[in-house]
Amino acid sequence: MRGAKQWARWCGAVLAGHCLLVLLALAFGHALPVGGQLVYEVRSTQSADLYLLDTRHRLTHNLTRQPEHHIDTQPAWSPDGRYMAFESRQEGKSLIYVMGAEGRGLRPLAPHVPGNQYNPRWSDDSTQVIFQARSRLNPLILSVELESGRVLQLPAPSSQSLPVMLPPRLPVMVYREGRWGISVYDGSWRSLRHLTDSDVRFRETPQWSADGQQIAFISAEPGQTDIYVMDFDGGGFRRVTQDGSLKTRLVWRP
């Protein structure tokens, strides 16, 4: 019996130490192993911050920690997973900010560009951020080199409308045999691939992880929103947050 208690204490100490290291890594910006991480927006009455979630350890970290009345939104990961760009709305003005994946080096990308800045996107090589800027009635599409800060104006996209197409492998809610569940649309509504039965419904389109092995979504439960994760085949269905905050704009880290 004494040996069993000592073994239990040792296991508890190892687990506590592991959790402490993960918490310190998140709190002080040291990189955790990439994989199983995503970012989402947490909204309160007067502000919004971006949070990093490590789904393996179910730990969260506030990346932006902006003052009240700041709205940080529209997060966009760089393709290499090293940086994030987002909109920060404050005092009637919207600017694009960039930071490292764990929240270090937070700074405005192009503070001297006039007008409001919206919708950040990355170049394929992760070296430039492309965004929209609007000064009065003149919308512009700009590109900023991350290292040099050089600003380029890009040509406006064609006004020709494009057909609306559903993306492949789109998770959808289905109702069958008296229960709600989650299936995958693979190009035909007649051959949905069913994943799991669950009365937990999502409030936004679920997101596939970069490696295609996991799906995450934000629930639409009354009075709260939480993040759920499951494997690509429906296995391992689990809730990874339970804090009562209002969440939106879920994006996996590449």
Side-chain angles (χ1 to χ4, degrees):
M1 181 64 70
R2 183 177 181 182
K5 289 182 178 179
Q6 290 177 339
W7 173 256
R9 291 194 191 98
W10 183 84
C11 290
V14 170
L15 180 60
H18 176 70
C19 290
L20 179 60
L21 288 175
V22 174
L23 284 168
L24 289 173
L26 285 170
F28 292 101
H30 301 298
L32 288 168
V34 176
Q37 296 178 12
L38 46 82
V39 70
Y40 59 96
E41 178 183 329
V42 172
R43 284 190 172 263
S44 62
T45 304
Q46 298 178 326
S47 63
D49 282 307
L50 299 179
Y51 279 70
L52 180 69
L53 168 66
D54 183 270
T55 62
R56 296 174 179 173
H57 305 93
R58 303 190 183 191
L59 295 173
T60 60
H61 171 55
N62 188 336
L63 293 174
T64 50
R65 297 184 181 276
Q66 298 278 38
E68 287 292 322
H69 307 290
H70 283 222
I71 304 295
D72 297 327
T73 185
Q74 300 289 349
W77 288 104
S78 61
D80 61 9
R82 296 175 58 197
Y83 302 99
M84 182 184 300
F86 63 94
E87 289 180 23
S88 184
R89 304 171 187 170
Q90 45 190 292
E91 299 178 355
K93 186 175 179 63
S94 177
L95 293 178
I96 301 301
Y97 276 67
V98 293
M99 60 183 171
E102 286 81 31
R104 290 176 293 181
L106 177 65
R107 62 182 175 86
L109 179 67
H112 301 300
V113 171
N116 289 310
Q117 304 170 10
Y118 304 100
N119 300 326
R121 297 292 182 269
W122 288 86
S123 61
D124 292 340
D125 60 3
S126 301
T127 63
Q128 301 177 61
V129 179
I130 302 165
F131 62 93
Q132 296 176 335
R134 182 179 294 273
S135 180
R136 296 183 180 178
L137 297 178
N138 299 317
L140 302 174
I141 299 179
L142 303 177
S143 173
V144 179
E145 294 180 353
L146 194 62
E147 293 297 329
S148 68
R150 181 187 179 193
V151 180
L152 299 174
Q153 182 175 343
L154 303 180
S158 171
S159 59
Q160 182 179 2
S161 61
L162 297 175
V164 177
M165 300 181 65
L166 291 174
R169 297 200 313 158
L170 176 68
V172 294
M173 294 298 305
V174 295
Y175 189 77
R176 65 174 203 164
E177 299 178 358
R179 292 196 65 186
W180 285 98
I182 300 174
S183 296
V184 172
Y185 168 87
D186 282 313
S188 172
W189 292 106
R190 296 182 178 180
S191 57
L192 293 177
R193 180 163 54 90
H194 190 67
L195 297 181
T196 185
D197 289 320
S198 172
D199 289 327
V200 180
R201 304 177 67 179
F202 45 76
R203 66 192 304 262
E204 298 175 355
T205 303
Q207 301 295 313
W208 288 91
S209 60
D211 60 8
Q213 297 301 300
Q214 296 183 87
I215 302 171
F217 67 89
I218 297 175
S219 66
E221 298 165 291
Q224 66 178 20
T225 58
D226 278 309
I227 297 173
Y228 286 75
V229 176
M230 61 183 169
D231 300 333
F232 72 97
D233 58 359
F237 185 86
R238 62 199 185 277
R239 178 167 56 184
V240 293
T241 66
Q242 196 172 0
D243 54 22
S245 63
L246 180 61
K247 306 172 185 67
T248 185
R249 304 186 191 282
L250 191 70
V251 188
W252 284 97
R253 182 178 182 178

